[in-house]
Amino acid sequence: MAGKGRGIAAFTFNIEALGLSRGSMPETQRGPTPLFPQIEYKPVPLKAGEDEDYMRALKQEMRGRMKDLPFNIKPHAGKGDVERYKEKYTREIKRIEDDNWTPDWNRLPKELKPQKKIIKKKRDTTKNAKISSKDKVEVLNKLDELEKKGDVKSDEEDEAEGGKKEDGEEGEEEEIEAEYDEELEEENDYIASYFEDGDDYGGGSDDNMDEATY
Amino acid sequence: MTVQEVRLCGLLLQQHFGNVVEKVGTHLIRSGVLTLRALAYETKLPLDLVKKSLCVLVQHGMCTFGAGRRGPAGPVEYRINCESIIHMLRYPRYIYTAKSLYGDTGELIVEEILQRGQMTMSSTVRTVADRLTNNMPEGQSMDYSEVVSAFSRLVETHFLQRCPPLASAGSSSSTLDTPLPAATQPTEPESHPDCYKLPYINLTGQGKRRRSSEGGEADQRAAKKARTDNSECGDDGIHWQVNFQRFHLHFRDQAIISAVSCKLDQSSSEIVRTMLRMSEVTTPAHAAFTQALSSNEIFRALQSSYNIARPNLDQYLSLLVDDPMEFVGKTGDSGGGMYVVNLHRALANLARATLESVVQERFGSRSARIFRLLLRKRHLEQKQVEDFAMIPAKEAKDMLYTLLSENLVQLQEIPKTPDYAPSRTFYLYTVNQLPTARLLLQHCYKTVCNLIERRLYETKENKRLLEKSQRIEAILASLQATEAEAAQLTEVEEMITVPERQQLESLRHHINKLDSSENQVDESIFLLESYIKSTQASR
């Protein structure tokens, strides 16, 4: 705003109030402060005594020992690595404790407990084995009904299922299932549903010629 | 959590527990509360490693878990307790205090429990007895009963406490009538009535010496036997942890006593020590004053070795009351005068002394004079500062601006007119103790981070040299065990050349200095933290 004269910089406040004068403005900051600034006064020397030495020794010992405890979790090393000969002796010398430290599971949430994976394949076999002989009779009845319908595909499927149940006790379910699947596929290179009856294929459009096609 | 605190926690976790736990921990600090799945997804670590890290953190009391936002039916949420991670800096001090109070046995007990987070009494006793036996001369061994008595003394004086029990076994799918405590309100260990009750265990025996001549198999057999013995002791499920708060109260008392002895003299500090000891049990943790003690009681409780006569005691007490530091206050006249120790005021004064000394050491004694002036007189104008401090205007101005740019001094505007016109506004300089203390506390955290990083850098630079020296030491040790000739020993020693030896020496010196500095910065951290906590508690 209006100052003493045109072009002369003037402050809007009484500069004396802050203790400044025209000639002696404090230095402006040029850029960020340096990363390692100059210090004018040397820092006070550290306390040096028995107590401090003892505590420092404790600290260093503790640091070294924590590395060997099972709490120090290491990321997964490359698997399939043969245990080196020296491992056995370094473990003894460094007294590395057993890696499998087990905490008290009562004090931790259940989800933190490592779960053993149940092999799911075996469950299916037991399920199949549990199917009692009553079902076999049902299956046979069903087979008779379907024979009448002349449905080739379902016949083979039921045969496969019946075959599965007969071999329920054996543990070779996987292979037999796979075999049956393969057989099914082999026998029908073409997808069976296309050319079965005339009903599915093009049937709907023939009957509904009256209605408008959408 | 401030940036510096997070950085410090990360470095401490990495040092003690490795990179995996550090990653999990820092991520959990930054995000607040997370479930296990979210944590594994965001840190991109395999699930089993995340599970193990959480187990380790919970074991050491640094992580708490509880029912999440979805209630007891939802997934468990985890949250980190930053304070307990930062306490790891102070472990050497805790161990040293235990040693000075309860001897070597107490020291080892506290050390074992600190390293493992939580332990049952029987396993602690066994491990400590074994360690002590190893250090004893051949033929002697430490009896379990001595260790048990040291343990009981630690529990009686509340330095060790039982871990707080969980409300349920932790499975969220169990009955609804035992829900997990909400993650926001962890159970306080003190709320458990049996917090300090010792379990009855029948543990007799002596420590076993580790025989280096026996093969590893014998150790394994012994270890297996020890594990089966654990369940026979009858204190399964009762875990003990270190009571950090009690240690902190002890440190606070020590700080007050040493301050009194510096300011006045040895006898007054003994009187204050007696007063504090008498009110140890009756004063709650966050109290502003101790219980009122009458002068007669103090006289009876004073140890006779101090040789303080009755009239001298009264004189000392009145001196303490009149002292501007206000350590001791008089609250009544019955029983020869009722006296209290002003705990919060003492902490505030100690923090103020710390701030003043920081300013003095960094900016010089004249800046310190200005700082003290502003602390005492609260608000001063530029001119008044120059006059009261008796410093020429130009230098006073410079110093004030330096302090202002460091944020140790603030500028307060008091307008005369509503439009804050600069020519019609008062500008007053002021110092607020609490925010300045917080600022310095963050500086301290940053200092410790820098010290740790510098130490890691130094170790990394000289890794090759350190490994070489370790290998040579191992060779020397094995040679000495097999009693080789002196010529062989000297030959091995000469494998390290003289300049390398010098380099090693200077490296060791640097690392020792850095470690010592960490310990001593931690003392300032403790004072400032206690002061900040005490002001928050009194509000």
Side-chain angles (χ1 to χ4, degrees):
Chain A
M1 295 296 256
K4 273 212 175 128
R6 276 181 243 132
I8 301 177
F11 294 102
T12 53
F13 56 95
N14 182 9
I15 223 177
E16 295 297 330
L18 280 173
L20 302 169
S21 64
R22 260 303 151 98
S24 63
M25 290 290 278
E27 286 172 16
T28 48
Q29 188 94 321
R30 282 186 205 96
T33 46
L35 194 55
F36 295 104
Q38 302 282 358
I39 43 172
E40 294 162 5
Y41 302 90
K42 282 211 102 169
V44 180
L46 292 171
K47 275 193 281 187
E50 226 182 87
D51 304 348
E52 279 76 33
D53 287 343
Y54 193 78
M55 283 203 271
R56 184 194 66 226
L58 275 174
K59 190 187 183 86
Q60 289 171 340
E61 256 184 54
M62 190 168 229
R63 212 167 39 226
R65 209 172 311 135
M66 288 287 231
K67 287 208 166 66
D68 295 335
L69 285 177
F71 300 122
N72 196 334
I73 295 178
K74 299 176 184 58
H76 287 313
K79 277 190 182 175
D81 215 8
V82 175
E83 187 185 306
R84 305 279 170 211
Y85 177 73
K86 66 171 185 184
E87 283 265 322
K88 184 170 143 207
Y89 293 98
T90 47
R91 278 170 77 92
E92 193 185 303
I93 289 175
K94 282 169 122 188
R95 296 175 203 171
I96 297 173
E97 308 202 356
D98 209 4
D99 274 333
N100 302 324
W101 150 75
T102 43
D104 185 4
W105 294 114
N106 290 332
R107 302 191 57 86
L108 291 169
K110 222 176 186 181
E111 60 182 5
L112 290 184
K113 198 165 177 177
Q115 309 277 342
K116 290 228 175 98
K117 285 187 191 158
I118 308 169
I119 304 169
K120 286 194 181 154
K121 290 177 189 172
K122 294 220 175 119
R123 274 214 200 125
D124 285 350
T125 67
T126 49
K127 262 192 194 162
N128 279 337
K130 279 179 192 161
I131 297 170
S132 57
S133 49
K134 288 183 207 164
D135 291 351
K136 276 190 190 170
V137 177
E138 284 183 23
V139 168
L140 286 171
N141 289 337
K142 211 176 165 190
L143 276 172
D144 293 333
E145 287 169 24
L146 286 169
E147 259 185 58
K148 288 168 194 168
K149 277 196 189 169
D151 201 334
V152 179
K153 182 183 157 209
S154 48
D155 253 344
E156 290 173 346
E157 277 189 288
D158 288 334
E159 265 183 29
E161 279 178 352
K164 269 191 238 167
K165 282 159 197 166
E166 281 168 19
D167 302 328
E169 263 73 49
E170 295 177 15
E172 294 161 317
E173 251 47 47
E174 307 296 313
E175 294 162 13
I176 292 172
E177 277 178 7
E179 275 173 21
Y180 272 119
D181 285 344
E182 281 170 4
E183 277 174 31
L184 276 171
E185 287 177 17
E186 277 171 11
E187 291 197 30
N188 298 323
D189 275 342
Y190 304 100
I191 299 173
S193 60
Y194 271 5
F195 299 107
E196 273 195 329
D197 304 304
D199 297 345
D200 293 344
Y201 178 65
S205 51
D206 283 339
D207 292 341
N208 297 331
M209 276 307 274
D210 316 325
E211 299 174 14
T213 53
Y214 292 101
Chain B
M1 284 300 119
T2 64
V3 171
Q4 301 302 334
E5 283 177 22
V6 174
R7 196 175 147 213
L8 180 59
C9 291
L11 282 169
L12 286 172
L13 283 176
Q14 184 187 34
Q15 278 200 340
H16 291 247
F17 300 124
N19 283 329
V20 176
V21 179
E22 185 246 334
K23 229 175 174 183
V24 170
T26 31
H27 191 82
L28 202 48
I29 297 176
R30 287 211 180 101
S31 338
V33 191
L34 276 181
T35 57
L36 174 63
R37 289 266 158 202
L39 190 56
Y41 175 71
E42 289 176 20
T43 51
K44 303 203 178 10
L45 287 170
L47 191 63
D48 60 331
L49 280 183
V50 176
K51 282 187 189 175
K52 278 191 203 166
S53 321
L54 283 173
C55 285
V56 168
L57 286 172
V58 173
Q59 167 84 5
H60 282 79
M62 293 168 191
C63 174
T64 51
F65 58 91
R69 286 161 278 198
R70 300 225 192 109
V76 179
E77 289 190 344
Y78 301 91
R79 138 203 325 258
I80 289 252
N81 185 4
C82 264
E83 268 186 31
S84 41
I85 302 183
I86 299 185
H87 286 163
M88 275 208 272
L89 266 183
R90 221 167 280 156
Y91 281 4
R93 202 170 165 194
Y94 298 140
I95 300 172
Y96 186 68
T97 312
K99 181 189 172 91
S100 54
L101 291 173
Y102 297 107
D104 282 337
T105 326
E107 176 197 3
L108 284 180
I109 293 176
V110 172
E111 190 177 341
E112 282 295 319
I113 299 187
L114 278 175
Q115 278 185 346
R116 286 168 200 271
Q118 309 166 355
M119 276 179 99
T120 56
M121 185 166 167
S122 40
S123 48
T124 320
V125 167
R126 256 188 234 116
T127 332
V128 170
D130 288 344
R131 274 180 74 179
L132 283 170
T133 313
N134 272 328
N135 294 337
M136 283 176 155
E138 218 29 76
Q140 292 180 19
S141 67
M142 172 63 85
D143 201 29
Y144 280 176
S145 56
E146 281 184 47
V147 184
V148 170
S149 67
F151 195 97
S152 348
R153 261 180 293 146
L154 277 166
V155 173
E156 276 163 16
T157 42
H158 294 210
F159 281 110
L160 292 177
Q161 62 185 179
R162 282 202 204 186
C163 300
L166 298 173
S168 73
S171 70
S172 47
S173 54
S174 62
T175 59
L176 283 172
D177 40 307
T178 50
L180 287 169
T184 45
Q185 294 133 20
T187 46
E188 287 293 322
E190 299 252 314
S191 55
H192 188 216
D194 290 336
C195 190
Y196 299 110
K197 204 167 82 166
L198 282 167
Y200 175 69
I201 57 170
N202 51 347
L203 191 61
T204 49
Q206 296 183 328
K208 294 174 205 26
R209 184 180 297 273
R210 173 191 288 271
R211 302 245 171 247
S212 51
S213 51
E214 283 175 10
E217 290 148 9
D219 273 344
Q220 279 175 20
R221 260 187 279 125
K224 273 194 195 146
K225 212 172 161 205
R227 250 176 262 153
T228 50
D229 281 346
N230 254 338
S231 47
E232 298 167 6
C233 268
D235 72 337
D236 242 358
I238 304 177
H239 296 266
W240 297 86
Q241 67 186 12
V242 170
N243 184 3
F244 293 121
Q245 204 182 50
R246 179 71 182 87
F247 272 105
H248 293 166
L249 294 180
H250 181 85
F251 293 157
R252 178 199 69 189
D253 294 347
Q254 268 187 334
I256 295 178
I257 293 169
S258 64
V260 172
S261 81
C262 283
K263 187 103 196 283
L264 298 175
D265 75 336
Q266 183 73 9
S267 317
S268 7
S269 77
E270 299 301 340
I271 295 174
V272 176
R273 189 199 299 269
T274 318
M275 288 175 76
L276 284 169
R277 200 168 359 105
M278 284 163 68
S279 42
E280 238 170 30
V281 200
T282 50
T283 315
H286 298 298
F289 316 102
T290 60
Q291 294 286 73
L293 299 163
S294 72
S295 160
N296 299 330
E297 281 174 4
I298 301 175
F299 183 65
R300 257 176 289 152
L302 267 182
Q303 288 182 14
S304 48
S305 53
Y306 299 150
N307 271 338
I308 301 177
R310 188 56 207 269
N312 290 348
L313 173 68
D314 288 331
Q315 281 178 346
Y316 273 122
L317 282 170
S318 57
L319 262 178
L320 280 165
V321 169
D322 290 333
D323 189 70
M325 290 286 257
E326 290 183 339
F327 287 121
V328 174
K330 187 167 183 182
T331 56
D333 289 315
S334 56
M338 301 292 278
Y339 296 94
V340 287
V341 178
N342 297 322
L343 295 166
H344 283 192
R345 216 165 294 170
L347 276 174
N349 286 328
L350 285 171
R352 182 166 56 82
T354 313
L355 298 182
E356 288 171 7
S357 86
V358 165
V359 173
Q360 180 165 338
E361 296 304 329
R362 281 185 73 187
F363 302 106
S365 53
R366 295 209 281 179
S367 304
R369 194 150 85 217
I370 294 178
F371 189 79
R372 276 197 293 267
L373 189 65
L374 284 170
L375 265 176
R376 193 159 306 181
K377 299 257 185 194
R378 305 298 179 88
H379 296 275
L380 287 176
E381 268 187 349
Q382 169 81 36
K383 196 93 184 36
Q384 286 171 315
V385 169
E386 292 163 21
D387 291 340
F388 283 127
M390 293 180 286
I391 296 177
K394 215 167 185 186
E395 292 167 20
K397 181 188 61 175
D398 249 341
M399 290 174 199
L400 268 174
Y401 288 151
T402 323
L403 288 175
L404 191 63
S405 64
E406 297 283 335
N407 255 328
L408 291 163
V409 158
Q410 280 88 42
L411 204 54
Q412 170 78 36
E413 299 168 351
I414 302 197
K416 292 187 221 176
T417 54
D419 62 351
Y420 276 85
S423 58
R424 290 186 290 273
T425 320
F426 289 117
Y427 291 96
L428 301 176
Y429 291 98
T430 182
V431 175
N432 292 323
Q433 192 170 333
L434 186 56
T436 318
R438 281 190 219 263
L439 173 73
L440 275 187
L441 184 60
Q442 298 304 317
H443 282 335
C444 287
Y445 289 144
K446 187 172 179 185
T447 311
V448 179
C449 290
N450 290 346
L451 286 169
I452 296 178
E453 290 204 3
R454 179 71 198 201
R455 178 164 45 79
L456 291 174
Y457 171 77
E458 295 265 328
T459 327
K460 203 170 69 162
E461 282 285 297
N462 297 302
K463 201 164 98 152
R464 189 197 67 87
L465 192 56
L466 276 172
E467 281 176 0
K468 180 176 173 187
S469 79
Q470 276 174 356
R471 253 181 293 136
I472 291 188
E473 273 176 29
I475 296 175
L476 272 177
S478 64
L479 278 181
Q480 275 172 352
T482 57
E483 287 169 6
E485 305 164 353
Q488 277 182 312
L489 289 175
T490 45
E491 197 184 311
V492 171
E493 276 173 7
E494 275 169 18
M495 280 167 65
I496 307 185
T497 61
V498 173
E500 278 183 348
R501 217 179 274 278
Q502 282 178 346
Q503 206 180 342
L504 266 178
E505 197 45 53
S506 79
L507 173 68
R508 217 159 278 163
H509 178 70
H510 287 326
I511 292 187
N512 284 348
K513 242 199 160 97
L514 291 167
D515 271 329
S516 244
S517 323
E518 276 177 47
N519 284 340
Q520 293 183 23
V521 173
D522 178 66
E523 292 180 16
S524 309
I525 290 180
F526 171 70
L527 264 178
L528 292 170
E529 266 182 1
S530 313
Y531 164 61
I532 292 171
K533 249 189 238 149
S534 73
T535 45
Q536 281 176 343
S538 62
R539 284 210 189 141

